[in-house]
Amino acid sequence: MIPDGQPGHIDQIKQTNVGAVYRLIDQFGPISRIELSKKAQLAPASITKIVRELLQAHLVLETEFQDPGSRGRPAIGLALDTQAWHYLSARISPGTVTLGLRDLSSKLVVEEVLPLPVQAPEPLLKRIISEIDQFFIRHQRKLERLTAIAITLPGMIDARRGIVHRMPFYHDVFDMPLGDTLSVHTGLPVYVQHDIGAWTLAESLYGASRGCKNVVQVVIDHNVGVGVITSGRVLHAGSSSVAEIGHTQVDPYGRRCYCGNHGCLETVASTDSILELVRQRLTVPVPASLLHGVSLTIEAVCDAANRGDQLARDVIISVGQSVGRILAIMVNLFNPEKVLIGSPLNLSQDILHPAIMSCIQQQSLPAYSENIKLESTQFYNQGTMPGAALVKDALYSGSLIIKLLQG
């Protein structure tokens, strides 16, 4: 099954076909070779050759299954063999690194959240490698065939080259060669992606946008950004960046952002900025607020807003309007069928979502916005599911399958 824009090189064709066969077995297995040939649109001889290689590598297995409506002997079908194949999925966030060992079905074997201070004497790259080494040592009895490493993180990233140009919070990061360094150190393929792009991919593979061809997913968290799925593919997957809104200037006289600009959307809509704004408003004479005298967290702000606190409601509505104005432009550009919101502010989605949707409907083309569904993401950007999506995508594209077949 060759996609549009057919690759001319025979190795690329093999990679594409192997990935397509693996994906179909994953999605429809147990599946017969005949049915697999139909769905893959490949000749039976090609299916036989590909399946033989996958069987020999213990990436798929044969199993008996009963065809629907059949009363005869069970048929022999193909299913994935994911046992004893492991990979590491990691997520770097402000002050912590989450490391998860998963098998090729994405099932979690073990996961740890470890401190990764934003300031330390040693460079961040050295500390990341050290934490990964220690994780492997602690869980070596669980490890069998280690296949890959996937790392997601915020910042300005060249995903194709595995270079992290800049990161929020970790201000000592300048053009950090994370992918190459870790690959040389471990001998494994390493996938590095912006956490929002990886999260968008996870939602399309397992979550709220599964089956959708055109999706815009906005994240409002420590950083603000957007992932885009167009024609069933993540925009910019594997290139320099995901679609960027967090560093779109909304206030030319605003405070300086870590990217070097002033007044970026991220400086007014990130969760840290929201909490700072609430603190400022609580220092001036305001009507009684439920937030006086409490430990300020996003959860506390959302709880107060849900209970009718005007200060909390105004702040959340303002964030929704700021994000909604940018999303209206995204709707005009990509005409999505669904807009997903990934944020701890979804605790007040009855306040946040209408503010966003109102801007979209007022400021984008009615033909594009009238049928849009706006929903919360199924996952929250914690743990290692976004990294798992990178590995699944590499399996489906065939790039990781070819590496595994080559040993």
Side-chain angles (χ1 to χ4, degrees):
M1 183 172 69
I2 308 301
D4 293 339
Q6 297 184 358
H9 196 282
I10 190 153
D11 291 339
Q12 182 62 51
I13 294 173
K14 178 181 179 179
Q15 174 182 307
T16 301
N17 288 340
V18 167
V21 168
Y22 186 90
R23 174 178 56 82
L24 291 169
I25 295 173
D26 189 13
Q27 294 174 342
F28 298 103
I31 181 173
S32 69
R33 287 169 171 81
I34 294 174
E35 188 63 23
L36 185 60
S37 176
K38 293 177 182 177
K39 289 185 179 294
Q41 301 175 31
L42 289 171
S46 296
I47 291 294
T48 297
K49 183 179 180 180
I50 292 172
V51 167
R52 184 189 305 119
E53 288 187 87
L54 294 175
L55 285 168
Q56 290 173 346
H58 301 288
L59 288 165
V60 303
L61 52 80
E62 292 182 317
T63 183
E64 291 186 347
F65 74 105
Q66 194 71 44
D67 270 324
S70 172
R71 296 183 180 180
R73 294 176 57 186
I76 300 297
L78 299 165
L80 296 189
D81 186 355
T82 59
Q83 303 231 341
W85 290 99
H86 293 139
Y87 63 88
L88 178 72
S89 180
R91 177 176 186 250
I92 299 171
S93 51
T96 63
V97 57
T98 305
L99 300 176
L101 186 66
R102 294 176 178 269
D103 67 22
L104 286 190
S105 71
S106 298
K107 179 181 177 182
L108 189 64
V109 177
V110 61
E111 187 173 83
E112 294 180 353
V113 181
L114 305 167
L116 192 69
V118 296
Q119 293 183 343
E122 293 184 326
L124 180 62
L125 180 56
K126 185 175 181 179
R127 291 189 285 142
I128 292 170
I129 292 175
S130 176
E131 292 293 350
I132 290 174
D133 285 345
Q134 293 301 314
F135 179 83
F136 286 151
I137 291 171
R138 285 193 298 274
H139 302 291
Q140 57 186 319
R141 292 186 178 180
K142 297 183 176 72
L143 278 170
E144 295 192 51
R145 288 171 288 191
L146 194 59
T147 60
I149 296 175
I151 300 182
T152 66
L153 65 165
M156 302 171 68
I157 299 164
D158 184 334
R160 191 181 301 279
R161 297 166 61 201
I163 295 175
V164 183
H165 295 299
R166 301 287 186 276
M167 283 185 70
F169 307 101
Y170 296 95
H171 299 301
D172 63 330
V173 171
F174 293 96
D175 299 332
M176 181 172 69
L178 179 59
D180 281 350
T181 303
L182 195 52
S183 182
V184 170
H185 182 75
T186 62
L188 297 170
V190 177
Y191 304 96
V192 179
Q193 183 56 276
H194 195 290
D195 53 3
I196 294 174
W199 185 4
T200 302
L201 183 60
E203 292 289 342
S204 71
L205 289 173
Y206 319 109
S209 61
R210 188 172 185 176
C212 296
K213 294 293 185 182
N214 300 286
V215 179
V216 171
Q217 177 177 317
V218 66
V219 170
I220 310 168
D221 203 331
H222 293 292
N223 55 321
V224 180
V226 66
V228 178
I229 295 174
T230 178
S231 300
R233 297 182 180 181
V234 177
L235 184 69
H236 292 162
S239 65
S240 294
S241 66
V242 293
E244 186 62 77
I245 65 169
H247 299 290
T248 300
Q249 189 181 72
V250 295
D251 180 4
Y253 303 103
R255 65 185 178 88
R256 188 176 179 86
C257 178
Y258 76 90
C259 75
N261 205 349
H262 288 267
C264 294
L265 177 62
E266 198 163 295
T267 67
V268 300
S270 70
T271 51
D272 295 321
S273 299
I274 292 168
L275 294 177
E276 180 59 30
L277 177 60
V278 172
R279 290 188 188 96
Q280 291 175 4
R281 293 193 178 182
L282 287 173
T283 62
V284 299
V286 292
S289 172
L290 297 171
L291 294 171
H292 281 294
V294 304
S295 177
L296 276 184
T297 63
I298 289 298
E299 290 76 14
V301 173
C302 289
D303 179 65
N306 292 339
R307 293 162 62 188
D309 185 89
Q310 195 60 49
L311 187 155
R313 288 180 61 88
D314 287 347
V315 168
I316 291 174
I317 289 171
S318 177
V319 169
Q321 291 171 341
S322 295
V323 173
R325 286 192 289 271
I326 303 298
L327 275 179
I329 299 172
M330 302 293 293
V331 167
N332 278 346
L333 289 172
F334 296 105
N335 190 17
E337 59 207 272
K338 184 175 285 189
V339 172
L340 296 183
I341 309 298
S343 176
L345 291 175
N346 282 335
L347 292 170
S348 290
Q349 66 180 34
D350 291 343
I351 300 168
L352 176 69
H353 291 194
I356 294 173
M357 196 63 184
S358 176
C359 286
I360 292 174
Q361 291 176 334
Q362 291 175 16
Q363 300 177 34
S364 62
L365 289 170
Y368 285 9
S369 63
E370 60 185 359
N371 295 318
I372 280 181
K373 295 180 181 179
L374 189 147
E375 301 176 5
S376 297
T377 54
Q378 180 172 322
F379 307 116
Y380 183 52
N381 197 18
Q382 292 178 329
T384 55
M385 181 58 79
L390 297 182
V391 174
K392 180 71 76 173
D393 188 57
L395 290 167
Y396 284 180
S397 74
S399 61
L400 182 53
I401 295 288
I402 292 298
K403 287 183 173 66
L404 298 180
L405 291 177
Q406 293 171 345

